[in-house]
């Protein structure tokens, strides 16, 4: 019998650690570092929670079309937005490594125009699957 999902709020420490790891990948290619952003972390955490509740990995939310719409709901005014998602038995360090090894996810990490970063996670009803979302954006 499935249990309830567990939704987390991203701590500033978690968001800063994820931004540092992401910035190492960006800086190795001569790109500007991203700043951890609480609005992006909140949008990422809410989307991870939504995916966990629906038991599906999708850029489309239950009530949202994508990261631009979710960022606007947090009061952030994006000029550009991209999102990486994952679901599996992984912690933050592992999911960041997997994204940097995947060409599609790496392309989002390396968008030159993005300036802000946020990550979020939620634990699925099975108690094993962690749903992850990372948002990359720049303000208007």
């Amino acid at each position: 019998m499935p249990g309830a999902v567990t939704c987390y709020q991203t701590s500033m420490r978690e968001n800063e650690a994820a931004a540092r790891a992401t910035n190492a990948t960006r800086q190795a290619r001569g790109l500007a570092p991203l700043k951890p952003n609480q609005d992006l972390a909140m949008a990422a955490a809410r989307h991870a929670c939504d995916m966990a509740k629906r038991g599906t990995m999708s850029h489309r939310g239950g009530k949202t079309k994508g990261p631009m719409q979710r960022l606007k709901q947090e009061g952030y005014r994006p000029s550009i937005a991209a999102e990486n998602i994952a679901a599996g038995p992984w912690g933050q360090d592992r999911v960041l490594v997997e994204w940097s090894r995947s060409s599609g996810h790496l392309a989002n990490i390396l968008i030159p125009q993005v300036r802000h970063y946020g990550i979020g996670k939620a634990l699925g009803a099975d108690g094993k699957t962690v749903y992850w979302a990372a948002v990359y954006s720049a303000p208007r």
Side-chain angles (χ1 to χ4, degrees):
M1 167 129 178
V5 304
T6 306
C7 297
Y8 300 97
Q9 284 200 348
T10 308
S11 74
M12 198 50 144
R13 192 176 57 77
E14 289 168 317
N15 207 37
E16 286 170 353
R20 269 194 307 278
T22 301
N23 284 335
T25 302
R26 287 177 61 84
Q27 288 168 328
R29 289 159 178 89
L31 294 170
L34 302 178
K35 290 188 174 115
N37 179 283
Q38 200 53 47
D39 291 333
L40 272 63
M42 187 65 79
R46 286 187 208 266
H47 186 55
C49 181
D50 178 59
M51 288 190 296
K53 286 178 179 172
R54 293 184 299 130
T56 187
M57 201 174 68
S58 173
H59 291 288
R60 245 182 168 342
K63 295 180 178 146
T64 58
K65 289 186 173 113
M68 290 285 270
Q69 190 179 8
R70 290 189 281 278
L71 286 172
K72 289 174 185 171
Q73 287 176 345
E74 296 301 329
Y76 186 92
R77 298 188 48 202
S79 61
I80 183 173
E83 176 179 75
N84 284 346
I85 58 175
W90 308 307
Q92 181 166 292
D93 291 346
R94 171 78 187 273
V95 80
L96 292 167
V97 167
E98 294 302 324
W99 283 334
S100 70
R101 288 180 178 162
S102 155
S103 62
H105 295 100
L106 181 61
N108 284 339
I109 292 167
L110 299 179
I111 296 170
Q113 298 87 345
V114 297
R115 293 291 170 257
H116 292 147
Y117 178 84
I119 194 167
K121 70 179 179 192
L123 185 62
D126 65 1
K128 295 180 215 149
T129 306
V130 183
Y131 290 84
W132 289 96
V135 183
Y136 312 85
S137 192
R140 287 201 181 285

